[in-house]
């Protein structure tokens, strides 16, 4: 009887927002699984940049195939340069302007970063023939839904913040790129995430 190999084929992953709380854990897990990881993060001040920089240093100290690029999702030239230099198999898109209350103060910023930035990433993924993209959405898309517990089938068109509206737009864009181009898109509606490295 022939024994099946248990080796996993190494892939190239791009993790946006990889310096943050969730993203740094994702990067470490992928590296532990033998994958090669690039992360793009602008180190904005919504979370303390010093914490994010320490997360990056901790990951780099492991001596595994990891590269950090400080950059903005809206900087198309940086994105093009990155996609031109690496053939990514999968993208885990965690980068975004976060927070419901701050989005009330700067709605245009949330629209630009979350929606336009995601659009640029999806378009580059399509053009580069990336196999799969996982996108962080949010429980805020459920809006004023009062039914508990929540269900993936619940209506999601009652957003009550610019942040929630931007995440709804990202979900719609993911559906478009799946429907038209066949891109394998997964949406994760995070509720309250907590654990080591949170602010």
């Amino acid at each position: 009887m022939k024994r099946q190999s248990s080796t996993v084929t190494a892939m190239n992953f791009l993790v946006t927002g990889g310096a943050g709380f969730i993203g740094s854990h994702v990067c470490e897990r992928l590296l532990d699984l033998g994958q090669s990881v690039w992360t793009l993060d602008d180190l904005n001040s919504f979370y303390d940049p010093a914490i994010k920089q320490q997360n990056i240093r901790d990951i780099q100290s492991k001596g595994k195939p990891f590269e950090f690029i400080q950059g903005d999702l809206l900087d198309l030239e940086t994105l093009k340069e990155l996609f031109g230099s690496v053939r990514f198999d999968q993208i885990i898109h965690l980068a975004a302007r976060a927070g419901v209350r701050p989005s009330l103060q700067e709605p245009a910023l949330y629209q630009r970063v979350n929606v336009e930035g995601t659009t640029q990433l999806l378009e580059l993924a399509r053009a580069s023939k990336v196999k799969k993209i996982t996108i962080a959405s949010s429980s805020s898309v459920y809006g004023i839904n009062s039914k508990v517990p929540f269900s993936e089938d619940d209506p999601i068109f009652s957003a009550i913040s610019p942040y929630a509206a931007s995440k709804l737009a990202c979900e719609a864009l993911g559906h478009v790129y799946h429907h038209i181009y066949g891109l394998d898109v997964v949406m994760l509606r995070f509720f309250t995430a907590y654990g080591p490295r949170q602010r």
Side-chain angles (χ1 to χ4, degrees):
M1 181 180 205
K2 186 177 180 181
R3 177 177 292 176
Q4 290 185 335
S5 173
S6 61
T7 58
V8 176
T9 303
M11 293 189 289
N12 293 336
F13 280 82
L14 171 61
V15 180
T16 69
F21 162 42
I22 297 174
S24 60
H25 285 286
V26 170
C27 290
E28 282 188 336
R29 179 67 173 150
L30 289 170
L31 291 168
D32 288 344
L33 291 171
Q35 312 300 341
S36 297
V37 178
W38 286 254
T39 191
L40 176 79
D41 199 302
D42 69 355
L43 302 179
N44 70 67
S45 59
F46 184 76
Y47 297 116
D48 185 353
I51 295 173
K52 297 178 189 176
Q53 290 164 343
Q54 185 60 54
N55 291 342
I56 293 298
R57 287 192 293 272
D58 289 346
I59 297 169
Q60 289 170 331
S61 70
K62 297 178 182 298
K64 295 184 178 180
F66 173 79
E67 185 169 339
F68 169 64
I69 302 98
Q70 184 170 350
D72 194 313
L73 283 174
L74 297 174
D75 184 352
L76 185 56
E77 291 310 309
T78 295
L79 289 176
K80 283 182 174 178
E81 184 178 334
L82 178 58
F83 276 81
S85 63
V86 184
R87 170 73 171 83
F88 294 111
D89 297 291
Q90 291 194 38
I91 298 171
I92 299 176
H93 177 35
L94 304 172
R97 279 288 170 163
V100 169
R101 282 182 294 236
S103 76
L104 299 171
Q105 305 301 317
E106 297 184 279
L109 175 64
Y110 279 67
Q111 168 73 22
R112 287 195 304 274
V113 174
N114 295 358
V115 182
E116 292 177 32
T118 298
T119 303
Q120 291 193 156
L121 199 62
L122 282 164
E123 184 58 17
L124 285 164
R126 177 199 64 78
S128 304
K129 297 181 170 43
V130 172
K131 296 172 185 173
K132 183 173 188 171
I133 181 166
T134 301
I135 300 176
S137 184
S138 167
S139 61
S140 66
V141 300
Y142 291 111
I144 58 174
N145 179 21
S146 60
K147 181 179 82 60
V148 234
F150 291 106
S151 167
E152 290 179 10
D153 298 324
D154 288 343
I156 55 169
F157 298 106
S158 303
I160 54 173
S161 70
Y163 172 68
S166 74
K167 288 299 187 177
L168 275 173
C170 291
E171 289 199 17
L173 285 163
H175 183 269
V176 167
Y177 273 77
H178 170 71
H179 179 72
I180 296 177
Y181 304 114
L183 185 61
D184 186 356
V185 180
V186 174
M187 292 288 174
L188 301 177
R189 292 177 183 161
F190 293 132
F191 281 70
T192 302
Y194 67 95
R197 299 186 198 142
Q198 71 183 113
R199 54 192 176 116

